[in-house]
């Protein structure tokens, strides 16, 4: 920001150049020397920081004044009827008939417990 007074944006080459090193005889109409956007960006950054600081303070005050308790549902572990591995109940997507389980086990050489 401090060196903005000695810089100009040359749109022909897409870079910032030092005004002091420019040739006075050349056509400098494509140079942009007005850097008001820098002041606007600094002001916007300051304003945004203030908004964020206010939000953090507000959030901290809300956290201190609230008595929210979070309850968790216990995880129910059940064995899969097909492979007999244990899974969370939510991971088992559906139900199949016992007859289908017996057929699958027979097709894959798994012995069934007869009761």
């Amino acid at each position: 920001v401090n060196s903005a007074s000695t810089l100009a944006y040359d749109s022909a080459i897409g870079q910032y150049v030092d005004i002091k090193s420019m040739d006075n005889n050349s056509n400098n109409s494509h140079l942009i020397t007005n850097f008001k956007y820098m002041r606007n960006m600094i002001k916007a950054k300051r304003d945004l920081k203030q908004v964020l600081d206010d939000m953090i303070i507000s959030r901290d005050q809300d956290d201190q004044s609230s008595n929210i308790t979070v309850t968790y549902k216990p995880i129910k572990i059940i064995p899969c009827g097909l492979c007999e591995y244990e899974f969370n109940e939510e991971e088992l997507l559906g139900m199949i008939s016992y007859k289908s389980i017996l057929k699958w086990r027979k097709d894959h050489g798994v012995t069934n417990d007869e009761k």
Side-chain angles (χ1 to χ4, degrees):
V1 177
N2 296 335
S3 63
S5 61
T6 63
L7 291 177
Y9 181 74
D10 189 346
S11 60
I13 60 173
Q15 292 183 356
Y16 291 93
V17 293
D18 190 3
I19 295 174
K20 296 175 186 173
S21 65
M22 295 296 294
D23 183 14
N24 292 337
N25 298 331
S26 64
N27 182 6
N28 295 332
S29 62
H30 57 280
L31 294 178
I32 300 171
T33 57
N34 186 359
F35 292 109
K36 285 185 183 177
Y37 71 90
M38 290 297 288
R39 275 179 286 199
N40 292 338
M41 293 298 287
I42 291 170
K43 182 182 180 304
K45 179 182 176 184
R46 186 175 51 245
D47 293 345
L48 182 59
K49 184 177 180 342
Q50 183 61 44
V51 168
L52 290 174
D53 289 344
D54 293 343
M55 185 183 301
I56 289 170
I57 291 169
S58 172
R59 187 183 303 158
D60 289 343
Q61 290 171 350
D62 289 346
D63 287 346
Q64 291 171 359
S65 64
S66 67
N67 293 327
I68 298 174
T69 56
V70 179
T71 57
Y72 295 99
K73 185 173 87 172
I75 297 173
K76 186 175 179 183
I77 306 276
I78 57 175
C80 173
L82 189 62
C83 66
E84 298 179 354
Y85 287 120
E86 291 185 345
F87 294 96
N88 294 340
E89 183 179 27
E90 297 166 351
E91 293 175 350
L92 296 173
L93 301 177
M95 297 180 67
I96 58 174
S97 69
Y98 188 67
K99 187 176 181 179
S100 298
I101 293 172
L102 290 175
K103 182 180 180 317
W104 183 90
R105 287 181 176 177
K106 181 181 175 188
D107 293 345
H108 289 85
V110 178
T111 58
N112 292 319
D113 295 333
E114 297 295 331
K115 292 184 180 181

